[in-house]
Amino acid sequence: MATESDARSAFFEHHGNSDSEAWMIASQMREEHALGVARIADEKRDLAREAAVLARQEHEKLRERACLLNSRIAAVSRDIHRRADDRDEEDAEECRA
């Protein structure tokens, strides 16, 4: 693994001078980049957590809606069967009369 000294030597070789100010600027830029990458990673984690919370909330709303719809379907089904039974009884009475 390259040391700070190796990196500094490579920097000066590439730039052809031993300008400490340029090295300091480059070091600062690397640090700022690393901090920026870390900040972006933190923001991504925060957004992922927020998305998970929203997804759970939406899932719960959909589940509640599905339960309501199932209850309505069951009520309509019972009503249809009751009406059919009533018609069957009426038809049977008519046949007996």
Side-chain angles (χ1 to χ4, degrees):
M1 179 182 232
T3 65
E4 179 77 13
S5 178
D6 295 336
R8 186 177 181 134
S9 295
F11 175 85
F12 291 140
E13 273 182 36
H14 178 74
H15 291 282
N17 62 33
S18 61
D19 186 358
S20 293
E21 185 177 353
W23 173 253
M24 293 302 293
I25 291 170
S27 294
Q28 183 179 357
M29 290 175 69
R30 283 192 303 277
E31 288 174 21
E32 288 173 1
H33 175 75
L35 290 173
V37 168
R39 183 179 45 80
I40 289 169
D42 289 344
E43 288 176 8
K44 284 173 118 178
R45 276 190 299 276
D46 292 345
L47 289 172
R49 281 189 207 109
E50 186 177 336
V53 167
L54 292 173
R56 280 191 299 273
Q57 290 172 347
E58 188 63 24
H59 175 77
E60 184 61 26
K61 286 179 188 176
L62 290 172
R63 192 182 66 74
E64 289 172 7
R65 178 87 173 129
C67 288
L68 287 172
L69 290 173
N70 284 335
S71 294
R72 287 182 186 167
I73 290 167
V76 168
S77 179
R78 285 189 301 272
D79 187 49
I80 290 170
H81 287 289
R82 184 187 50 79
R83 288 181 187 187
D85 290 344
D86 290 348
R87 272 192 304 257
D88 288 345
E89 284 180 32
E90 290 172 4
D91 289 346
E93 286 178 15
E94 286 179 13
C95 288
R96 281 182 247 150

